[in-house]
Amino acid sequence: MLMEECGVFGTYLKEGNIAPSYVVEGLMALQHRGQEAAGVSYTKGEKIESFKELGTVGAIFNKKTLSNMKGKISIGHVRYSTKGTPDITGAQPFTANYANSSFSIAHNGQIENSEKLKNELEKKGIIFLTDSDTEIVLHLLVSKLRKSPDKWTLEEISKIIFENIGPSYSLIIMFKNRMIAIRDKKGYRPLSFYEDEHGYYFSSEDCGLRFLSPNMKKIRDVKPGEAIEITEKGVKNVQYETQKYSHCFFEHVYFSRPDSNVFGRNAHQMRERMGEQCAIENPVDADIVVPVMESGLSAAMGYSKMSGIPVEMGLIRNRYIGRTFIHPEQTERKIGVKRKLTPIYEVIKNKRIILVDDSIVRGTTMTEIVDLLRQYRAREVHVRISSPAVVSTCSWGVNIPDKKELIASQKNVKQIEKHINADSLGYLSLKGVRKILNFDHENYCLHCFIKNNLEE
Ligand code: SF4
């Protein structure tokens, strides 16, 4: 399992001062994108205040904490540290006071050229207090614009971001009387925008806006290369020229919540299609299809539909523990799998099982799950993965380990099958992905499925 790469949410209310409450509600829906830390910035008179803590949104924010946060403009962030230390110094939003004014940034993504930018800024005498990429954005804007943030224009800000930061990010920047959202030129990460009679809202995924618009009407994507500014006058945007997109395919595989519509496609339905295609490519005779809860559920439904083999809940997931990969040590991960998943003996016993999950990264988790099923007397365990093998790492904000840790980078399918002790193993092919994307694959990043940039 891979980890998400943070989530951002922003609210600009036309009237009233409860924007932070909207933001916390939105962050709750984006919790799956990061559970290490969460934070909210909000306007307080002429100033911007921030409140951030380590932990989940529900644990950090309550009526008491929210009663102190009032403001018409607010942004928030849930964090998973793909880079930087997983401590409070990296928690977002980042707020800066500069030239008698202030601004605050919430950032989702990873800056590929961060070392170069940091070196250039340090040569100008700028001191970094954290190793977070977001601090680079903050200093870059200040060093290039050299005037009060109140006077920074949408055009100036977006030009600096689009021309210097590369390539994968969604950003929300708040000032004391306006808010700006920017999506990278290639559209790696999703970002949605919604307007209603009360105000304007941005969210990493549109599931964060569902509490405002249950039928999702009037929600639109911030376009790749688009920057949108909200002021008391309304909405203004600039569109940077962009030719080809690079949407992260892993948003469809795993990151996005099933009810989210990402890059114009519903996440659950996409996963179902991937499961169907996986069944076409990797048929096997068996009694039941069992999803690895919950990441493999939609794909297992697709596999079941296409194969005619019933889907059964053979594994239950304990919802009340942290995600396995939050623990840094391999041994803790192993313990985490057993704490997280329990087979249902009455369902598993003597069955030939097709076990469906979204991906295999190191192979540790899958080995443990196959072992668990065998302990519960499964007769056969056939593993089916609803995405292609992950063979390369990612430079665009997703915490994929080094190649030497990626099992599919080191072993072929037969060797992995043996390693995880499965009776058989099958992946969805890259060709299958292209078919599902209806040959829109040119606008997707599939880099982590391609070895040395050459297709297998
Ligand atoms: S390399 Fe993989 S995880 Fe990274 S952006 Fe591309 S598809 Fe997403």
Side-chain angles (χ1 to χ4, degrees):
M1 198 183 296
L2 301 174
M3 285 311 292
E4 300 84 345
E5 20 23 38
C6 304
V8 293
F9 197 94
T11 300
Y12 182 114
L13 291 181
K14 290 172 187 168
E15 279 179 10
N17 64 354
I18 57 163
S21 302
Y22 281 86
V23 170
V24 169
E25 198 63 47
L27 293 181
M28 289 272 192
L30 297 176
Q31 185 73 85
H32 58 288
R33 296 186 77 87
Q35 300 99 44
E36 282 181 5
V40 168
S41 289
Y42 52 99
T43 43
K44 192 168 187 180
E46 288 295 293
K47 288 183 73 183
I48 295 173
E49 298 274 333
S50 295
F51 179 82
K52 43 194 181 180
E53 294 275 354
L54 292 176
T56 56
V57 181
I60 297 169
F61 296 97
N62 51 44
K63 271 191 182 160
K64 196 170 164 223
T65 48
L66 270 170
S67 67
N68 295 321
M69 296 182 209
K70 299 283 176 228
K72 174 183 159 109
I73 306 172
S74 179
I75 61 173
H77 187 270
V78 285
R79 180 174 197 235
Y80 173 71
S81 51
T82 55
K83 225 177 155 193
T85 43
D87 60 27
I88 194 68
T89 60
Q92 296 191 40
F94 273 38
T95 302
N97 297 312
Y98 173 68
N100 294 323
S101 190
S102 45
F103 66 106
S104 188
I105 300 180
H107 166 229
N108 164 209
Q110 189 168 308
I111 302 175
E112 203 183 10
N113 54 340
S114 61
E115 284 307 310
K116 184 174 165 277
L117 285 172
K118 201 169 174 179
N119 285 339
E120 284 169 11
L121 289 163
E122 279 178 342
K123 275 183 198 152
K124 289 182 185 170
I126 287 161
I127 297 167
F128 284 85
L129 299 177
T130 72
D131 52 2
S132 162
D133 277 358
T134 313
E135 197 183 351
I136 297 175
V137 181
L138 187 147
H139 287 306
L140 185 73
L141 289 170
V142 168
S143 72
K144 295 251 180 213
L145 291 168
R146 293 185 169 276
K147 57 185 173 184
S148 168
D150 297 346
K151 293 186 178 141
W152 299 356
T153 66
L154 172 67
E155 290 75 12
E156 285 172 334
I157 294 168
S158 52
K159 189 170 188 298
I160 289 168
I161 301 288
F162 287 138
E163 291 186 356
N164 291 278
I165 304 283
S168 141
Y169 51 85
S170 289
L171 277 171
I172 309 180
I173 311 174
M174 71 171 281
F175 302 85
K176 60 189 186 201
N177 55 6
R178 63 193 168 123
M179 175 181 288
I180 289 175
I182 303 176
R183 185 166 172 214
D184 72 69
K185 288 181 279 181
K186 297 274 188 183
Y188 276 96
R189 303 287 147 229
L191 187 62
S192 297
F193 174 53
Y194 174 66
E195 176 187 353
D196 67 10
E197 67 274 28
H198 305 295
Y200 309 88
Y201 317 85
F202 294 98
S203 175
S204 280
E205 287 175 39
D206 62 6
C207 70
L209 302 167
R210 210 171 265 276
F211 75 100
L212 295 160
S213 174
N215 60 10
M216 306 298 245
K217 272 190 183 154
K218 282 175 43 193
I219 293 173
R220 77 159 175 96
D221 283 353
V222 177
K223 294 189 196 102
E226 184 181 21
I228 299 179
E229 181 181 56
I230 311 293
T231 65
E232 60 184 9
K233 289 185 191 150
V235 183
K236 178 181 169 183
N237 77 327
V238 293
Q239 178 67 53
Y240 203 90
E241 199 181 321
T242 177
Q243 280 155 3
K244 194 170 149 284
Y245 301 158
S246 274
H247 303 317
C248 170
F249 189 70
F250 244 102
E251 292 284 351
H252 291 316
V253 174
Y254 171 69
F255 297 145
S256 302
R257 218 170 76 161
D259 56 334
S260 285
N261 298 291
V262 171
F263 315 136
R265 295 173 156 96
N266 171 262
H268 162 69
Q269 288 177 330
M270 270 298 282
R271 286 166 199 165
E272 234 187 8
R273 276 289 297 120
M274 288 150 74
E276 284 172 12
Q277 184 63 27
C278 186
I280 293 168
E281 294 178 7
N282 302 284
V284 62
D285 199 14
D287 302 312
I288 52 173
V289 175
V290 171
V292 174
M293 295 296 280
E294 293 169 6
S295 53
L297 180 58
S298 302
M301 289 166 74
Y303 195 104
S304 169
K305 266 190 200 169
M306 187 53 73
S307 63
I309 300 169
V311 68
E312 290 274 358
M313 200 170 76
L315 283 167
I316 59 152
R317 181 170 183 266
N318 181 353
R319 293 156 192 271
Y320 304 104
I321 59 162
R323 290 191 172 204
T324 316
F325 270 59
I326 288 171
H327 307 296
E329 298 302 324
Q330 191 80 359
T331 46
E332 285 189 42
R333 266 188 222 120
K334 274 188 163 187
I335 297 165
V337 171
K338 286 203 170 110
R339 276 165 56 214
K340 194 168 83 169
L341 292 169
T342 311
I344 299 179
Y345 178 73
E346 291 71 14
V347 175
I348 299 299
K349 188 188 159 198
N350 283 332
K351 295 283 186 357
R352 296 171 301 160
I353 291 165
I354 299 170
L355 181 68
V356 178
D357 203 359
D358 62 289
S359 57
I360 298 178
V361 182
R362 296 176 178 86
T364 323
T365 308
M366 188 51 79
T367 308
E368 287 286 302
I369 298 170
V370 173
D371 186 43
L372 263 180
L373 293 175
R374 294 204 187 281
Q375 285 173 32
Y376 279 69
R377 308 259 305 271
R379 188 140 56 101
E380 293 171 17
V381 183
H382 302 274
V383 176
R384 295 295 179 266
I385 302 299
S386 60
S387 67
V390 179
V391 289
S392 293
T393 194
C394 172
S395 305
W396 303 285
V398 176
N399 196 18
I400 298 183
D402 284 349
K403 277 191 175 187
K404 57 181 186 315
E405 285 187 63
L406 290 175
I407 193 165
S409 173
Q410 306 298 321
K411 297 178 191 290
N412 64 31
V413 175
K414 274 285 153 205
Q415 289 168 328
I416 301 170
E417 182 182 289
K418 196 169 168 215
H419 181 94
I420 63 173
N421 193 24
D423 291 285
S424 73
L425 169 66
Y427 287 90
L428 173 65
S429 69
L430 267 171
K431 220 172 163 181
V433 169
R434 294 203 177 90
K435 192 174 164 203
I436 292 164
L437 292 174
N438 205 13
F439 302 95
D440 182 28
H441 60 270
E442 292 286 332
N443 284 317
Y444 273 83
C445 173
L446 297 168
H447 180 89
C448 51
F449 307 113
I450 299 170
K451 223 173 202 166
N452 304 321
N453 265 338
L454 298 169
E455 284 189 38
E456 62 264 56

